[in-house]
Amino acid sequence: QVQLVESGGGLVQAGGSLRLSCAASGRTFSRYAMAWFRQAPGKECELVAAITSGGNTYYADSVKGRFTISRDNAKNTVYLQMNSLKPGDAAVYYCAATSKLGLSIKSASYDYWGQGTQVTVSS
């Protein structure tokens, strides 16, 4: 069982930056692939970025070059550094974990989810 707790959301002006953190419980964090999803009102949940246990990463085209996912296994934490934020990035951001090997880009592949953190971007 893994529990995930996100933090770091908030209100930022367009062009600004935020760093989201996701703290995980459990002693096997390093074995899990982690991801950040987001969901805006009226829209489907979409994958933003993912990172495997080995450190391979994936980014949605809409955030490439602006967002960076990273993990610190010693701290059981995954991060999402978000730069050059746009109003279109506004959403509830969710941290997710899966024990499946490799890179999973579908939400159904993820077994554990955090409660979400709101990101609001003003224009």
Side-chain angles (χ1 to χ4, degrees):
Q1 189 77 9
V2 176
Q3 292 185 327
L4 305 173
V5 179
E6 302 100 332
S7 61
L11 172 64
V12 64
Q13 288 188 333
S17 298
L18 282 175
R19 188 175 81 156
L20 305 183
S21 299
C22 173
S25 65
R27 296 176 292 177
T28 59
F29 171 77
S30 63
R31 300 178 185 177
Y32 286 84
M34 304 295 297
W36 288 96
F37 288 82
R38 68 186 180 188
Q39 187 166 25
K43 294 188 177 181
E44 293 186 355
C45 184
E46 63 171 346
L47 176 64
V48 175
I51 185 167
T52 66
S53 58
N56 293 324
T57 58
Y58 167 90
Y59 296 95
D61 287 343
S62 59
V63 306
K64 281 181 182 176
R66 300 188 298 122
F67 290 12
T68 302
I69 188 171
S70 61
R71 64 190 301 159
D72 185 337
N73 290 335
K75 295 183 178 180
N76 279 15
T77 301
V78 63
Y79 304 98
L80 185 68
Q81 178 67 43
M82 304 186 295
N83 298 329
S84 302
L85 282 160
K86 304 175 182 180
D89 295 318
V92 177
Y93 282 70
Y94 297 92
C95 175
T98 178
S99 58
K100 294 180 174 61
L101 295 177
L103 201 66
S104 298
I105 63 174
K106 295 183 178 181
S107 59
S109 298
Y110 288 83
D111 308 303
Y112 305 101
W113 292 79
Q115 82 288 351
T117 186
Q118 178 72 51
V119 171
T120 303
V121 184
S122 63
S123 56

